Amino acid sequence: MMELFIQLISGACFTLGALLILSGGVGILRFPDFFTRMHAAGITETLATGLILLGLMLLAGWGLVLFKLVLILLFIMLTSPTAGHALAKAALHGKLKPVTYNPHSK
């Protein structure tokens, strides 16, 4: 019974992670400028990767595989936001301006 529950939770993590990856891809295609595309890619990549790794951790059980998955998750959680910040800062230093939207102008 407990094995079935773990498999269901793991499957939910995989499904939600896949949907987040899909929404990030749509955001990259639809958003107007570099900065909003970076936001869509960075947020969905970090969260979707975390969910997929969590699903794998639930299926792995206790052991070396779980330890390696935790190390991968920690690495992703530390490097992905840092890389996104570095790219955005480099774009700003390169004089790339974000697209601004004023809802009151026509």
Side-chain angles (χ1 to χ4, degrees):
M1 183 67 174
M2 188 64 163
E3 228 177 89
L4 177 64
F5 180 69
I6 289 175
Q7 287 178 354
L8 288 174
I9 297 297
S10 180
C13 288
F14 291 148
T15 304
L16 191 55
L19 289 174
L20 283 170
I21 289 172
L22 182 65
S23 72
V26 170
I28 289 171
L29 293 174
R30 298 280 313 210
F31 285 149
D33 69 333
F34 175 78
F35 297 101
T36 53
R37 290 177 181 162
M38 281 288 305
H39 178 74
I43 296 297
T44 58
E45 178 215 354
T46 304
L47 186 58
T49 304
L51 283 170
I52 290 171
L53 285 171
L54 178 65
L56 288 172
M57 285 180 211
L58 289 171
L59 291 178
W62 296 100
L64 184 60
V65 174
L66 177 65
F67 178 70
K68 289 178 181 181
L69 288 171
V70 169
L71 288 179
I72 292 169
L73 180 63
L74 287 174
F75 180 75
I76 295 292
M77 292 298 158
L78 290 173
T79 58
S80 181
T82 305
H85 178 78
L87 283 171
K89 196 155 184 99
L92 283 174
H93 283 297
K95 307 289 188 252
L96 185 64
K97 299 289 182 204
V99 173
T100 57
Y101 172 71
N102 184 356
H104 302 293
S105 67
K106 291 190 179 195

